[in-house]
Amino acid sequence: GGMGTSFGEGMILCAGFHMDKENRVSFGSEFFDWVMTFIIVAILSVACNMVGYGGMLLESIPGMLIFAAISLAGLTVKHFIPGNLPAVAYIALIGMLVAMPFSPISGFVIYWANKVALMAVVTPILAYAGVIVGRDWREFVKIGWKGILVSLLVILGTFFVSGGMAEIMGRIFGM
């Protein structure tokens, strides 16, 4: 509500969803919410990386800043390009482009990104999503068992297809 978006709405925007045209807020307000969201996620992710995966504080920070910069770039592109392509598509595209061998910064990006464990980043985001779902449990239950079943199948399908693609690419590129 109000002039800006809440952190929850910021996380939804970060997840690749967008608000409809009549509820769209100013870029400055969205950008501020995105930055605040990334600061919270970065702090929690660095803590998870240190505690759960043995990462070092100073080694984790550059990787998190790279992730935040790529995400902010993707969200900015989404804000200014018309259409219904989700922000996560722009974020993934930018991330792939900066990590490709032809990119002049790929070595830097890959080196520092490898200092942050994937699960260290995913854990606080999923925890936050759990809090949001828990807070809106009545709304979630209204989806019904069919919606919940479809959601679970989509999550499982995404997991297995991603794992399969990673396996294929790993074999192709000898990883």
Side-chain angles (χ1 to χ4, degrees), residues 12 130-142:
I12 290 170
V131 168
I132 296 301
V133 169
R135 190 182 73 196
D136 295 332
W137 187 250
R138 287 187 198 109
E139 292 296 320
F140 182 69
V141 171
K142 287 181 187 176

Side-chain angles (χ1 to χ4, degrees), residues 1 5 20 39 43-44 50 58 66 75 89 91-93 105 127 129 134 141 144 156 159 161 165-166 173 175:
T5 58
D20 53 11
I39 289 170
I43 290 168
L44 293 173
M50 291 170 47
L58 294 178
I66 289 168
L75 288 166
I91 294 166
L93 180 63
I105 60 171
V141 171
L156 284 172
F159 174 77
V161 169
M165 289 175 60
F173 294 107
M175 297 176 153

Side-chain angles (χ1 to χ4, degrees), residues 98-110:
V98 299
M100 292 285 207
F102 61 77
S103 169
I105 60 171
S106 69
F108 176 82
V109 169
I110 292 169

